[in-house]
Amino acid sequence: MVNMASRTVRLIDVARVERAVTGKIYPAGTVYIQVSACRRADLEQFRITKEAGTLEGKFAAIIPIRPVIPEYLQITLENSAEEFMRRYVGTNINIQMSAFNNFTLRWQDDLEAQRFVADSLSAIQRGLEAEEGEINRLQAMKQFFREALFARMMKKMGSKN
């Protein structure tokens, strides 16, 4: 049985947050956020590197100091991002690195529970994307038939004249 009990922790108690260092190689699975000219319009503020590599200086890297599944860390950061941005960033276009000292999030120490949360939400996301794809296909089909009907009507009207 997976223990799903979680608690509120400060980000700095579970991870080190550093401004991306030029030339430093960050491992695959590093969670990062844009701190210079931050992007509030995105649904996802936090991203995960797919492979080891460098990050631009406009990002902050979040380096876990406790065992964590990267996708879980991203999810729990996203869940707290709106409140953090409202309280500690406001209308500024940049996120001050010191603001991360105030970032709190729901935390689950149990890696099995982290994996369960990440896998469950990933499955839901895949389902949503499949539904969006189906909606797009149906809209394209509707447009095709609408255009075909319009062309047929125009042809019929042209033959009457």
Side-chain angles (χ1 to χ4, degrees), residues 69-88:
I69 295 177
E71 295 80 8
Y72 174 81
L73 180 56
Q74 180 189 32
I75 290 163
T76 193
L77 287 165
E78 287 293 344
N79 286 339
S80 299
E82 185 177 347
E83 176 70 8
F84 169 74
M85 296 297 266
R86 186 185 62 73
R87 289 183 75 185
Y88 299 105

Side-chain angles (χ1 to χ4, degrees), residues 112-133:
E112 193 175 328
Q114 289 181 13
R115 175 55 57 205
F116 177 80
V117 168
D119 289 349
S120 297
L121 291 178
S122 177
I124 291 168
Q125 183 62 37
R126 284 191 308 273
L128 289 171
E129 289 168 359
E131 291 298 322
E132 287 174 3

Side-chain angles (χ1 to χ4, degrees), residues 7 28 42 57 66 79 91 97 101 117 125 141 145 150-151 155 160-161:
R7 58 193 164 85
D42 277 358
R66 292 188 181 179
N79 286 339
T91 58
M97 293 303 293
N101 294 335
V117 168
Q125 183 62 37
M141 188 182 333
F145 286 121
F150 181 73
K155 185 176 178 184
K160 288 184 179 181
N161 292 333

Side-chain angles (χ1 to χ4, degrees), residues 20 27 48-50 77 91 94 105 108 114 134 146:
I48 299 177
T49 59
K50 293 188 184 339
L77 287 165
T91 58
N94 298 324
L105 53 127
Q108 171 57 256
Q114 289 181 13
E134 184 63 19
R146 184 181 283 164

